[in-house]
């Protein structure tokens, strides 16, 4: 994940040499501020804001008080926010298959190599109008935590707080699933509205759940996934901004643009493609025509 974040940052910083206007992006997390599953994201924002001074500023609106967790996916889709820290389990309404990400525990390096990242990125492009910038948390499993002792793995008669992550398995083992956002877990436990809950192995102390939890059922299962998503229009416009900044930098360095107008420009481009394709096809008559056909010009 680190390398892609740095690459993204570097791309954004390309614009830094020009006195371009500072870009401000709005960010939210689907998890409470300062807690386990927001911390990485918050560190990323701090780093971008430190390194990107004058170029790019991420305005961190905050956690679920800003946007309810189950609405964060839609907020990034519609550009209500520009960047979001959110688990796939919270946007299964828009992308049912997001529920499958927890079942892939391979390291991200491998997921990038074997095409998983690319496929999941395409799904985000299509269904969430967003770029799948990074998946965080490798090797962090989930557990079912309980306040009633069970003597075998059977949830009959138990009401268990779930998200889509745990719903199927809780139901399959006889439990009654009750879906809540993380922010409602403490009260639900305190009032006995639920007898247990699903949550990762890490993070229960952040919101004081240790005070209302008696048992952690073994074994751990699945793999936590929390994603950094960037609205696709924002992602694309960063490239436009970087190009604009470079042109401004050249102008500031005294390099003048020689523009001959629309007709001459079009004639030049047609010629440039035609002669280059002819040259390629002459040297590679077997493969060149196919390349040209695929390029569509
Ligand atoms: O709220 C949840 O229990 C949940 O689905 C989740 C997913 C990833 C990280 C932390 C919690």
């Amino acid at each position: 994940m680190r390398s892609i974040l740095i690459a993204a940052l570097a791309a954004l910083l390309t614009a830094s040499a020009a006195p371009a206007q500072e870009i401000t992006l709005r960010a939210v997390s689907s998890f409470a501020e300062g807690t386990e599953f927001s911390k990485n994201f918050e560190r990323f924002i701090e780093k971008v804001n430190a390194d990107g001074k004058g170029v790019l500023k991420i305005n961190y609106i905050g956690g679920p008080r800003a946007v309810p967790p189950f609405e964060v996916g839609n907020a990034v889709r519609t550009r209500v926010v520009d960047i979001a820290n959110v688990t796939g389990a919270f946007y299964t309404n828009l992308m049912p298959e997001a529920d499958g990400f927890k079942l892939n525990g391979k390291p991200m390096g491998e997921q990038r190599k074997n095409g998983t990242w690319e496929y999941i990125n395409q799904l985000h492009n299509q269904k969430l109008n967003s770029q799948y910038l990074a998946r965080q948390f490798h090797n962090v499993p989930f557990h079912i935590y309980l306040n009633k002792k069970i003597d075998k793995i059977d949830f009959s008669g138990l009401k268990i707080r779930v998200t889509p992550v745990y719903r199927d398995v809780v139901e399959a083992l006889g439990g009654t699933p009750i879906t809540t956002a993380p922010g409602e877990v403490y009260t639900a436990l305190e009032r006995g509205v639920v007898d247990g809950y699903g949550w990762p192995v890490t993070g229960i102390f952040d919101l004081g759940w240790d005070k209302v939890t008696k048992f952690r059922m073994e074994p751990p299962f699945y793999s936590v996934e929390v994603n950094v998503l960037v609205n696709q229009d924002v992602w694309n416009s960063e490239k436009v901004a970087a190009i604009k900044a470079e042109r401004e930098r050249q102008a500031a360095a005294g390099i003048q643009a020689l523009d001959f107008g629309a007709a001459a420009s079009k004639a030049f481009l047609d010629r440039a493609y035609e002669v280059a394709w002819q040259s390629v096809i002459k040297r590679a008559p077997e493969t060149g025509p196919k390349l040209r056909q695929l390029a569509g010009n």
Side-chain angles (χ1 to χ4, degrees):
M1 178 184 90
R2 190 172 306 154
S3 62
I4 188 78
L5 293 183
I6 289 168
L9 187 63
L12 295 170
L13 288 177
T14 313
S16 71
Q21 220 177 315
E22 190 177 69
I23 299 162
T24 302
L25 302 178
R26 289 155 54 86
V28 294
S29 176
S30 60
F31 296 98
E33 288 148 50
T35 62
E36 181 69 13
F37 298 104
S38 288
K39 277 184 194 162
N40 273 348
F41 184 60
E42 290 166 355
R43 276 207 338 261
F44 167 63
I45 292 172
E46 275 172 28
K47 174 145 178 59
V48 169
N49 287 346
D51 295 356
K53 264 207 174 68
V55 181
L56 172 68
K57 185 172 185 299
I58 300 181
N59 178 13
Y60 185 39
I61 316 285
R65 277 175 303 174
V67 181
F70 297 124
E71 289 168 33
V72 168
N74 201 41
V76 74
R77 184 181 71 82
T78 55
R79 206 173 168 177
V80 166
V81 300
D82 301 310
I83 306 183
N85 181 62
V86 60
T87 172
F90 293 174
Y91 51 84
T92 54
N93 55 331
L94 299 170
M95 192 193 290
E97 57 274 55
D99 208 16
F101 304 158
K102 69 191 178 199
L103 304 174
N104 190 335
K106 291 189 175 166
M108 274 319 283
E110 207 177 318
Q111 293 197 38
R112 286 183 186 277
K113 234 182 267 161
N114 75 7
T116 309
W117 178 85
E118 193 173 338
Y119 187 62
I120 295 178
N121 186 43
Q122 278 170 19
L123 294 173
H124 282 86
N125 294 170
Q126 289 158 14
K127 301 191 174 187
L128 260 89
N129 185 36
S130 66
Q131 180 76 8
Y132 180 48
L133 184 62
R135 171 176 171 168
Q136 312 158 72
F137 304 102
H138 175 239
N139 264 344
V140 180
F142 296 94
H143 280 276
I144 300 294
Y145 297 83
L146 295 168
N147 278 332
K148 287 191 179 153
K149 195 165 188 177
I150 52 176
D151 50 19
K152 60 180 192 306
I153 300 180
D154 179 351
F155 302 139
S156 298
L158 298 181
K159 285 173 288 180
I160 299 183
R161 174 271 172 184
V162 299
T163 65
V165 171
Y166 331 91
R167 172 173 278 277
D168 296 305
V169 73
V170 162
E171 239 166 22
L173 295 171
T176 304
I178 297 175
T179 301
T180 82
E184 289 151 37
V185 172
Y186 188 98
T187 314
L189 289 163
E190 198 182 29
R191 296 188 183 159
V193 173
V194 295
D195 305 304
Y197 59 98
W199 192 256
V201 66
T202 49
I204 70 153
F205 293 94
D206 283 340
L207 298 167
W209 298 354
D210 53 304
K211 298 187 198 80
V212 284
T213 302
K214 292 208 178 93
F215 306 101
R216 185 191 66 251
M217 195 194 99
E218 299 293 332
F221 58 100
Y222 305 158
S223 301
V224 167
E225 49 91 25
V226 180
N227 308 313
V228 178
L229 307 183
V230 182
N231 174 277
Q232 194 62 39
D233 305 324
V234 172
W235 183 260
N236 296 342
S237 71
E238 292 309 329
K239 282 182 224 141
V240 174
I243 289 171
K244 185 167 170 276
E246 192 67 15
R247 289 165 156 268
E248 284 168 6
R249 184 182 179 187
Q250 291 184 11
I255 298 168
Q256 297 173 39
L258 292 180
D259 190 331
F260 299 94
S265 295
K266 185 184 180 306
F268 168 78
L269 289 173
D270 289 347
R271 189 101 199 275
Y273 277 92
E274 189 56 36
V275 295
W277 275 127
Q278 290 310 333
S279 169
V280 168
I281 290 164
K282 195 168 157 203
R283 280 172 291 159
E286 304 278 300
T287 54
K290 175 80 177 172
L291 280 176
R292 183 169 196 176
Q293 184 211 327
L294 289 169
N297 58 44

